[in-house]
Amino acid sequence: MGKRFVTDFAVPHSADLVKFIAEDFFGKEGFKLIDYQGEAVWKKGVGMIAAPQFIKLSYQNGWIHLEAWIKFAILPGVYCGEMGLDGFWGFAVKDALRGKVNTLISLLCQPAVQQQPPASSFAVSTPVQEKEMKKEEITAPQAPENASPTPEEKTQPVPSAAPDVTNIPVTPPSVPPVQAAPVPPSPVYTNSPVPPADPQSGMPGYTGPGYAQQPIQPPTPMPGTFTGNQPPVGYPVAVHNPTGPAILSLVMGLISIITFFIPIIGLAIPIIGVASAPRGMKSTSKNCATAGLILSIIFLCFSVLYHLIFLFALFTI
Protein backbone atom coordinates (compact mmCIF):
# COMPACT_ATOMS: atom_id res chain seq x y z
CA MET A 1 0.00 0.00 0.00
CA GLY A 2 1.07 3.57 -0.55
CA LYS A 3 -0.08 7.10 -1.14
CA ARG A 4 -1.30 8.50 -4.44
CA PHE A 5 1.13 9.62 -7.09
CA VAL A 6 0.89 13.45 -7.04
CA THR A 7 2.59 15.99 -9.29
CA ASP A 8 2.14 19.65 -10.27
CA PHE A 9 3.52 21.18 -13.48
CA ALA A 10 3.02 24.25 -15.67
CA VAL A 11 1.60 24.04 -19.20
CA PRO A 12 1.73 26.65 -22.01
CA HIS A 13 -1.92 26.17 -23.02
CA SER A 14 -5.32 27.61 -22.25
CA ALA A 15 -8.02 25.83 -20.30
CA ASP A 16 -9.89 24.92 -23.51
CA LEU A 17 -6.84 23.27 -25.05
CA VAL A 18 -6.01 21.39 -21.84
CA LYS A 19 -9.59 20.14 -21.72
CA PHE A 20 -9.45 18.94 -25.32
CA ILE A 21 -6.12 17.10 -24.89
CA ALA A 22 -7.23 15.45 -21.64
CA GLU A 23 -10.65 14.34 -22.90
CA ASP A 24 -9.15 13.02 -26.13
CA PHE A 25 -6.54 11.02 -24.20
CA PHE A 26 -8.95 9.58 -21.63
CA GLY A 27 -11.50 8.68 -24.30
CA LYS A 28 -8.94 6.77 -26.39
CA GLU A 29 -7.56 4.97 -23.32
CA GLY A 30 -10.99 3.84 -22.13
CA PHE A 31 -11.31 6.04 -19.02
CA LYS A 32 -14.70 7.30 -17.84
CA LEU A 33 -15.42 10.37 -15.71
CA ILE A 34 -17.05 9.42 -12.39
CA ASP A 35 -17.85 10.97 -9.02
CA TYR A 36 -15.40 9.42 -6.55
CA GLN A 37 -15.93 10.54 -2.96
CA GLY A 38 -17.03 13.99 -4.12
CA GLU A 39 -14.20 14.34 -6.66
CA ALA A 40 -14.37 14.30 -10.48
CA VAL A 41 -12.05 11.41 -11.30
CA TRP A 42 -11.26 9.43 -14.46
CA LYS A 43 -11.56 5.67 -13.91
CA LYS A 44 -10.68 2.63 -16.01
CA GLY A 45 -11.65 -0.96 -15.24
CA VAL A 46 -13.97 -2.62 -12.74
CA GLY A 47 -11.51 -5.05 -11.18
CA MET A 48 -12.57 -8.32 -12.82
CA ILE A 49 -9.00 -9.18 -13.94
CA ALA A 50 -6.79 -6.25 -12.90
CA ALA A 51 -7.08 -3.47 -10.33
CA PRO A 52 -9.07 -0.38 -11.42
CA GLN A 53 -7.04 2.70 -12.35
CA PHE A 54 -7.82 6.28 -11.28
CA ILE A 55 -6.52 9.65 -12.50
CA LYS A 56 -7.54 13.05 -11.15
CA LEU A 57 -6.71 16.14 -13.23
CA SER A 58 -7.33 19.81 -12.45
CA TYR A 59 -6.19 23.05 -14.13
CA GLN A 60 -5.82 26.56 -12.70
CA ASN A 61 -3.84 29.60 -13.89
CA GLY A 62 -1.53 27.67 -16.21
CA TRP A 63 -0.77 24.93 -13.66
CA ILE A 64 -2.01 21.33 -13.64
CA HIS A 65 -2.46 19.17 -10.57
CA LEU A 66 -2.42 15.43 -11.34
CA GLU A 67 -3.03 12.46 -9.07
CA ALA A 68 -2.93 8.77 -10.03
CA TRP A 69 -3.58 5.61 -8.03
CA ILE A 70 -5.04 2.10 -8.18
CA LYS A 71 -7.25 0.18 -5.77
CA PHE A 72 -7.16 -3.45 -4.73
CA ALA A 73 -10.27 -5.21 -6.04
CA ILE A 74 -11.81 -7.86 -3.77
CA LEU A 75 -14.71 -8.40 -6.20
CA PRO A 76 -15.78 -6.53 -9.34
CA GLY A 77 -16.89 -3.17 -7.99
CA VAL A 78 -15.73 -3.92 -4.44
CA TYR A 79 -12.40 -2.22 -3.65
CA CYS A 80 -10.26 -1.51 -0.63
CA GLY A 81 -7.29 0.76 -0.01
CA GLU A 82 -5.39 3.01 -2.39
CA MET A 83 -1.97 2.26 -3.89
CA GLY A 84 0.38 4.64 -5.64
CA LEU A 85 2.64 3.77 -8.56
CA ASP A 86 5.52 2.40 -6.50
CA GLY A 87 5.98 -0.99 -4.87
CA PHE A 88 5.93 -4.62 -5.99
CA TRP A 89 2.29 -5.38 -5.27
CA GLY A 90 0.34 -4.96 -8.50
CA PHE A 91 3.47 -3.92 -10.40
CA ALA A 92 2.00 -4.81 -13.81
CA VAL A 93 -1.02 -2.53 -13.39
CA LYS A 94 1.15 0.17 -11.81
CA ASP A 95 3.57 0.10 -14.73
CA ALA A 96 0.70 0.39 -17.19
CA LEU A 97 -0.79 3.34 -15.32
CA ARG A 98 2.64 4.98 -14.98
CA GLY A 99 3.07 4.80 -18.77
CA LYS A 100 -0.33 6.42 -19.31
CA VAL A 101 0.51 9.21 -16.86
CA ASN A 102 3.83 9.92 -18.59
CA THR A 103 2.11 10.02 -21.99
CA LEU A 104 -0.54 12.43 -20.71
CA ILE A 105 2.07 14.73 -19.17
CA SER A 106 4.08 14.82 -22.41
CA LEU A 107 0.95 15.72 -24.39
CA LEU A 108 0.00 18.51 -21.99
CA CYS A 109 3.55 19.93 -21.92
CA GLN A 110 4.03 20.05 -25.70
CA PRO A 111 5.04 23.50 -27.01
CA ALA A 112 2.25 25.84 -27.98
CA VAL A 113 2.23 26.49 -31.74
CA GLN A 114 0.13 29.41 -33.00
CA GLN A 115 -1.23 28.96 -36.50
CA GLN A 116 0.39 31.43 -38.92
CA PRO A 117 -1.80 33.58 -41.20
CA PRO A 118 -1.78 32.67 -44.89
CA ALA A 119 0.79 34.38 -47.09
CA SER A 120 -0.35 37.26 -49.30
CA SER A 121 -0.99 36.59 -52.96
CA PHE A 122 0.98 39.50 -54.45
CA ALA A 123 4.64 39.12 -55.43
CA VAL A 124 7.38 40.99 -53.60
CA SER A 125 10.71 41.59 -55.30
CA THR A 126 13.78 40.59 -53.34
CA PRO A 127 16.97 42.72 -53.10
CA VAL A 128 18.67 40.36 -55.58
CA GLN A 129 15.84 40.82 -58.11
CA GLU A 130 15.99 44.62 -57.70
CA LYS A 131 19.76 44.56 -58.32
CA GLU A 132 19.25 42.49 -61.50
CA MET A 133 16.56 44.92 -62.74
CA LYS A 134 18.90 47.91 -62.22
CA LYS A 135 21.68 46.06 -63.99
CA GLU A 136 19.43 45.42 -67.01
CA GLU A 137 18.46 49.11 -67.15
CA ILE A 138 22.13 50.15 -67.15
CA THR A 139 23.15 47.63 -69.81
CA ALA A 140 20.21 48.42 -72.13
CA PRO A 141 21.38 49.68 -75.59
CA GLN A 142 21.11 53.44 -76.03
CA ALA A 143 21.25 55.50 -79.23
CA PRO A 144 24.53 57.44 -79.78
CA GLU A 145 24.38 61.18 -79.30
CA ASN A 146 25.93 62.17 -82.71
CA ALA A 147 24.07 59.59 -84.79
CA SER A 148 22.46 61.05 -87.92
CA PRO A 149 18.69 60.59 -88.29
CA THR A 150 17.44 58.00 -90.74
CA PRO A 151 15.24 58.98 -93.74
CA GLU A 152 12.15 57.67 -91.93
CA GLU A 153 12.88 59.86 -88.92
CA LYS A 154 13.34 62.91 -91.17
CA THR A 155 9.87 62.51 -92.71
CA GLN A 156 8.12 62.25 -89.32
CA PRO A 157 6.80 65.56 -87.88
CA VAL A 158 8.58 66.85 -84.84
CA PRO A 159 6.17 67.40 -81.95
CA SER A 160 6.07 70.86 -80.49
CA ALA A 161 7.31 71.51 -77.02
CA ALA A 162 4.81 70.92 -74.27
CA PRO A 163 3.35 74.13 -72.83
CA ASP A 164 4.28 75.19 -69.37
CA VAL A 165 1.28 74.44 -67.18
CA THR A 166 2.83 75.18 -63.83
CA ASN A 167 1.43 78.73 -63.62
CA ILE A 168 -2.01 78.02 -65.11
CA PRO A 169 -4.70 78.16 -62.44
CA VAL A 170 -6.85 75.06 -62.24
CA THR A 171 -10.54 75.63 -61.67
CA PRO A 172 -12.30 72.67 -60.10
CA PRO A 173 -15.39 71.57 -62.01
CA SER A 174 -18.72 72.32 -60.51
CA VAL A 175 -20.21 69.23 -58.93
CA PRO A 176 -23.94 69.19 -58.22
CA PRO A 177 -24.85 68.36 -54.65
CA VAL A 178 -25.65 64.72 -54.03
CA GLN A 179 -28.97 64.02 -52.44
CA ALA A 180 -28.77 61.35 -49.72
CA ALA A 181 -31.05 58.42 -50.45
CA PRO A 182 -33.46 57.45 -47.67
CA VAL A 183 -32.13 54.54 -45.60
CA PRO A 184 -34.60 51.65 -45.43
CA PRO A 185 -35.25 50.12 -42.02
CA SER A 186 -32.99 47.21 -41.08
CA PRO A 187 -34.62 43.82 -41.71
CA VAL A 188 -35.20 41.42 -38.88
CA TYR A 189 -33.45 38.10 -39.48
CA THR A 190 -34.96 34.89 -38.18
CA ASN A 191 -33.90 31.27 -38.29
CA SER A 192 -36.48 30.39 -40.95
CA PRO A 193 -35.53 31.66 -44.44
CA VAL A 194 -38.19 33.63 -46.37
CA PRO A 195 -39.33 31.79 -49.53
CA PRO A 196 -38.51 33.59 -52.79
CA ALA A 197 -41.11 35.41 -54.82
CA ASP A 198 -43.36 33.53 -57.21
CA PRO A 199 -41.85 33.96 -60.72
CA GLN A 200 -45.35 34.24 -62.23
CA SER A 201 -47.21 36.39 -59.75
CA GLY A 202 -44.26 38.19 -58.17
CA MET A 203 -45.71 37.63 -54.71
CA PRO A 204 -43.63 36.18 -51.87
CA GLY A 205 -44.34 32.77 -50.45
CA TYR A 206 -43.49 30.67 -53.51
CA THR A 207 -42.80 27.03 -52.57
CA GLY A 208 -43.25 25.33 -55.92
CA PRO A 209 -40.68 23.65 -58.18
CA GLY A 210 -37.19 24.99 -57.88
CA TYR A 211 -37.57 26.13 -54.27
CA ALA A 212 -35.11 24.55 -51.83
CA GLN A 213 -34.79 25.67 -48.25
CA GLN A 214 -31.17 26.62 -47.52
CA PRO A 215 -29.69 25.33 -44.23
CA ILE A 216 -28.48 27.90 -41.74
CA GLN A 217 -24.71 27.86 -41.38
CA PRO A 218 -23.39 27.87 -37.79
CA PRO A 219 -21.27 30.87 -36.79
CA THR A 220 -17.51 30.56 -37.24
CA PRO A 221 -15.84 30.02 -33.84
CA MET A 222 -13.30 32.52 -32.67
CA PRO A 223 -9.63 31.48 -32.29
CA GLY A 224 -8.92 29.67 -29.04
CA THR A 225 -12.48 28.45 -28.41
CA PHE A 226 -13.34 24.82 -27.64
CA THR A 227 -15.67 23.12 -30.13
CA GLY A 228 -16.49 19.64 -28.83
CA ASN A 229 -14.20 16.87 -30.04
CA GLN A 230 -12.16 19.21 -32.25
CA PRO A 231 -9.10 21.15 -31.06
CA PRO A 232 -9.52 24.88 -30.39
CA VAL A 233 -9.45 26.88 -33.60
CA GLY A 234 -6.05 28.31 -34.48
CA TYR A 235 -4.01 26.02 -32.23
CA PRO A 236 -2.50 22.97 -33.96
CA VAL A 237 -1.76 20.34 -31.35
CA ALA A 238 -0.57 16.74 -31.27
CA VAL A 239 -3.15 14.32 -29.84
CA HIS A 240 -2.85 10.85 -28.39
CA ASN A 241 -2.30 8.19 -31.07
CA PRO A 242 -2.34 4.66 -29.53
CA THR A 243 -0.83 2.70 -32.42
CA GLY A 244 0.84 0.23 -30.04
CA PRO A 245 -2.40 -1.59 -29.11
CA ALA A 246 -3.34 -1.79 -32.80
CA ILE A 247 -0.06 -3.50 -33.70
CA LEU A 248 -0.34 -5.76 -30.62
CA SER A 249 -3.83 -6.84 -31.66
CA LEU A 250 -2.64 -7.72 -35.17
CA VAL A 251 0.38 -9.65 -33.85
CA MET A 252 -1.75 -11.62 -31.37
CA GLY A 253 -4.24 -12.41 -34.13
CA LEU A 254 -1.48 -13.76 -36.38
CA ILE A 255 0.11 -15.79 -33.59
CA SER A 256 -3.25 -17.31 -32.66
CA ILE A 257 -3.38 -18.94 -36.12
CA ILE A 258 -0.69 -21.42 -35.09
CA THR A 259 -1.31 -21.57 -31.33
CA PHE A 260 -5.09 -22.00 -31.03
CA PHE A 261 -4.73 -25.74 -30.27
CA ILE A 262 -2.22 -25.23 -27.41
CA PRO A 263 -3.86 -25.55 -23.98
CA ILE A 264 -4.28 -22.25 -22.09
CA ILE A 265 -1.98 -20.36 -24.48
CA GLY A 266 -4.40 -20.89 -27.35
CA LEU A 267 -7.04 -19.06 -25.32
CA ALA A 268 -4.87 -16.34 -23.77
CA ILE A 269 -3.31 -15.02 -26.99
CA PRO A 270 -6.53 -14.27 -28.91
CA ILE A 271 -8.07 -12.79 -25.74
CA ILE A 272 -5.18 -10.30 -25.59
CA GLY A 273 -5.77 -9.48 -29.28
CA VAL A 274 -9.48 -8.86 -28.68
CA ALA A 275 -8.79 -6.70 -25.59
CA SER A 276 -6.19 -4.55 -27.39
CA ALA A 277 -8.23 -3.90 -30.54
CA PRO A 278 -10.71 -1.27 -29.19
CA ARG A 279 -7.88 1.09 -28.15
CA GLY A 280 -6.00 0.52 -31.42
CA MET A 281 -9.10 1.32 -33.47
CA LYS A 282 -8.99 4.89 -32.10
CA SER A 283 -5.56 5.49 -33.66
CA THR A 284 -4.24 6.04 -37.18
CA SER A 285 -3.56 2.26 -37.40
CA LYS A 286 -7.26 1.43 -37.34
CA ASN A 287 -6.94 -1.12 -40.18
CA CYS A 288 -4.32 -3.13 -38.25
CA ALA A 289 -6.55 -3.18 -35.17
CA THR A 290 -9.55 -4.28 -37.23
CA ALA A 291 -7.61 -7.12 -38.86
CA GLY A 292 -6.24 -8.20 -35.48
CA LEU A 293 -9.72 -8.16 -33.95
CA ILE A 294 -11.16 -10.33 -36.73
CA LEU A 295 -8.32 -12.87 -36.57
CA SER A 296 -8.42 -13.00 -32.77
CA ILE A 297 -12.19 -13.59 -32.68
CA ILE A 298 -12.04 -16.31 -35.35
CA PHE A 299 -9.23 -18.28 -33.75
CA LEU A 300 -10.59 -17.71 -30.26
CA CYS A 301 -13.70 -19.56 -31.43
CA PHE A 302 -11.51 -22.29 -32.94
CA SER A 303 -9.56 -22.56 -29.70
CA VAL A 304 -12.71 -22.80 -27.56
CA LEU A 305 -14.15 -25.44 -29.87
CA TYR A 306 -10.91 -27.41 -29.87
CA HIS A 307 -10.66 -27.33 -26.07
CA LEU A 308 -14.26 -28.45 -25.69
CA ILE A 309 -13.69 -31.38 -28.03
CA PHE A 310 -10.48 -32.23 -26.20
CA LEU A 311 -12.19 -32.18 -22.79
CA PHE A 312 -15.14 -34.21 -24.07
CA ALA A 313 -12.81 -36.83 -25.49
CA LEU A 314 -10.75 -36.85 -22.26
CA PHE A 315 -13.73 -37.53 -20.00
CA THR A 316 -15.44 -40.06 -22.29
CA ILE A 317 -12.44 -42.35 -22.67
Side-chain angles (χ1 to χ4, degrees):
M1 300 293 178
K3 297 182 179 180
R4 298 181 181 182
F5 170 81
V6 180
T7 182
D8 296 278
F9 54 94
V11 293
H13 307 300
S14 63
D16 289 338
L17 192 55
V18 170
K19 178 183 177 183
F20 167 75
I21 295 175
E23 291 182 352
D24 177 81
F25 173 83
F26 289 126
K28 291 178 179 178
E29 288 293 335
F31 284 81
K32 294 182 179 179
L33 187 63
I34 64 168
D35 183 10
Y36 176 77
Q37 299 179 0
E39 299 176 324
V41 174
W42 294 90
K43 174 189 174 184
K44 179 180 181 180
V46 294
M48 294 184 63
I49 300 176
Q53 306 171 21
F54 299 86
I55 296 179
K56 177 185 176 183
L57 189 72
S58 59
Y59 172 90
Q60 186 176 10
N61 298 329
W63 283 83
I64 286 183
H65 178 77
L66 187 147
E67 300 180 9
W69 69 97
I70 63 174
K71 301 200 71 173
F72 179 75
I74 303 175
L75 293 172
V78 181
Y79 317 125
C80 66
E82 292 183 358
M83 295 179 285
L85 304 183
D86 299 325
F88 178 77
W89 184 264
F91 69 94
V93 182
K94 291 179 179 179
D95 287 343
L97 182 56
R98 187 183 296 109
K100 295 182 179 68
V101 170
N102 292 335
T103 302
L104 178 59
I105 292 176
S106 63
L107 290 172
L108 292 172
C109 293
Q110 61 181 297
V113 180
Q114 184 77 24
Q115 201 171 34
Q116 299 296 330
S120 56
S121 58
F122 59 86
V124 179
S125 60
T126 62
V128 177
Q129 294 176 345
E130 293 179 356
K131 187 181 296 184
E132 293 293 337
M133 294 172 59
K134 293 180 179 179
K135 184 177 180 181
E136 291 178 358
E137 293 177 358
I138 295 174
T139 57
Q142 298 180 0
E145 297 180 357
N146 300 327
S148 59
T150 60
E152 290 78 3
E153 294 176 353
K154 292 181 180 180
T155 57
Q156 293 180 358
V158 179
S160 58
D164 186 11
V165 295
T166 56
N167 297 326
I168 300 177
V170 179
T171 304
S174 59
V175 180
V178 179
Q179 298 293 335
V183 180
S186 301
V188 178
Y189 295 97
T190 60
N191 290 334
S192 57
V194 179
D198 191 339
Q200 296 182 358
S201 62
M203 298 297 294
Y206 174 69
T207 58
Y211 170 68
Q213 186 174 358
Q214 300 295 330
I216 300 175
Q217 300 295 333
T220 304
M222 297 297 293
T225 57
F226 180 72
T227 56
N229 59 352
Q230 298 296 327
V233 179
Y235 294 90
V237 62
V239 296
H240 185 45
N241 188 22
T243 57
I247 298 174
L248 177 63
S249 177
L250 179 60
V251 172
M252 293 295 103
L254 294 174
I255 295 177
S256 63
I257 297 176
I258 57 177
T259 60
F260 72 93
F261 57 89
I262 301 176
I264 307 301
I265 297 177
L267 292 172
I269 289 179
I271 289 176
I272 296 175
V274 172
S276 303
R279 290 174 57 201
M281 295 181 70
K282 298 175 183 178
S283 67
T284 54
S285 301
K286 180 180 179 181
N287 295 334
C288 293
T290 303
L293 178 62
I294 294 173
L295 290 174
S296 299
I297 291 176
I298 291 175
F299 288 96
L300 178 61
C301 296
F302 285 171
S303 182
V304 171
L305 182 61
Y306 176 83
H307 282 75
L308 291 177
I309 295 175
F310 178 77
L311 292 175
F312 179 79
L314 183 64
F315 286 102
T316 55
I317 294 177

